[in-house]
Amino acid sequence: MSIHIKTPEEIEKIRVAGQLAAEVLQMIGEHVKSGVTTQEINDICHDYIVNTQNAIPAPLNYRGFPRSVCTSINHQVCHGIPGGRVLKDGDTVNIDITVIKDEFHGDTSKMFYVGKPTVKAQRLIDLTYEAMCTGINMVKPDVTLGDIGHAIQTFVEKNKCSVVREYCGHGIGKNFHEDPQVLHYGKPNSGDKLAPGMTFTIEPMVNAGKRHVRLLPDQWTVVTKDHSLSAQWEHTILVTEDGFEVLTRRPEEYWA
Ligand code: MF3
Ligand code: CO
Ligand code: CO
């Protein structure tokens, strides 16, 4: 296994796919409201990706996943399967979008809430966004993956929350998931060094309680063992000559 350095042509295709994925997250915001089912959210995203973007929703049939997006509510950590669950006031929901355009992938997720979040939920959501940014802001050539994981873990644990260990970020390109594995915990100065042209996701899953997770019998939905709230944000990142580019950036997001 080795980390594929992308050519400028490949990078442009990932950038295009990344922007499509980001646009799906912007489009779906107004639909995330009380009374809507996660199946309806899935169907709106599916229709938009297929018919408006002329792209492919990567999750559909990926290793048997039965829907086009992942929707993970409250104590669900990731890979929630859209279905009949009706969103209600106070729910938090991660929507994870992966689009394939011209054979290349863009992968990004965002936290939404229905109605007004509790103070605790808002705090977890904000802290998890900051954890992702802590990792993103470190990206530049010669930094190690261990440096990034360590910084994310340190930030999260300082805030009395925990990092899920069983799932991680990943290289991305022609493949949905490829080398390297981007752990959201680790030791400084360990693991592969970043180099220009690498593309990978940073997507920390942070629990308000303990880090342990359980897989539901549907074989996809991951939940916190202690039923504590969980949050996740995800971006697809390019390593540039002197730093990074967020390939799935939305207009409301800025990096110095
Ligand atoms: N989008 C998820 C990730 O960030 C993967 C979902 S796999 C699926 O890597 F099959 F559940 F869609
Ligand atoms: Co991902
Ligand atoms: Co994703």
Side-chain angles (χ1 to χ4, degrees), residues 13-138:
K13 290 183 181 185
I14 301 168
R15 189 180 282 121
V16 169
Q19 281 307 301
L20 293 177
E23 282 166 20
V24 178
L25 286 180
Q26 294 176 77
M27 177 281 298
I28 200 62
E30 64 177 292
H31 300 281
V32 182
K33 55 184 188 216
S34 179
V36 172
T37 65
T38 50
Q39 179 71 54
E40 289 170 313
I41 288 173
N42 176 83
D43 294 351
I44 294 165
C45 292
H46 177 95
D47 178 71
Y48 188 78
I49 293 166
V50 171
N51 297 314
T52 301
Q53 299 186 327
N54 291 111
I56 299 166
L60 187 58
N61 301 320
Y62 178 78
R63 300 185 181 204
F65 191 78
R67 298 288 185 273
S68 298
V69 306
C70 298
T71 51
S72 305
I73 301 171
N74 298 337
H75 72 293
Q76 296 177 350
V77 172
C78 64
H79 303 167
I81 303 174
R85 168 69 152 82
V86 178
L87 295 181
K88 59 176 194 313
D89 266 9
D91 285 337
T92 63
V93 51
N94 173 278
I95 302 182
D96 192 337
I97 305 291
T98 313
V99 165
I100 307 171
K101 183 74 171 180
D102 207 1
E103 292 184 316
F104 283 81
H105 293 71
D107 188 7
T108 183
S109 84
K110 170 180 171 172
M111 294 301 298
F112 296 86
Y113 41 78
V114 183
K116 199 172 135 61
T118 63
V119 170
K120 274 186 182 163
Q122 184 73 62
R123 177 176 175 272
L124 178 68
I125 289 172
D126 291 350
L127 180 146
T128 305
Y129 187 79
E130 220 177 311
M132 175 189 68
C133 291
T134 299
I136 291 174
N137 288 331
M138 290 178 67

Side-chain angles (χ1 to χ4, degrees), residues 96 98 107-108 168-170 172 176-177 201 203 232 234 236:
D96 192 337
T98 313
D107 188 7
T108 183
C168 59
H170 49 91
I172 184 166
F176 193 162
H177 298 107
T201 70
E203 50 178 304
Q232 178 179 32
E234 172 175 27
T236 296

Side-chain angles (χ1 to χ4, degrees), residues 196-218:
M198 287 183 183
T199 50
F200 54 81
T201 70
I202 298 181
E203 50 178 304
M205 285 139 275
V206 176
N207 300 344
K210 294 201 174 19
R211 68 174 180 82
H212 305 93
V213 299
R214 195 164 65 80
L215 189 62
L216 292 189
D218 66 20

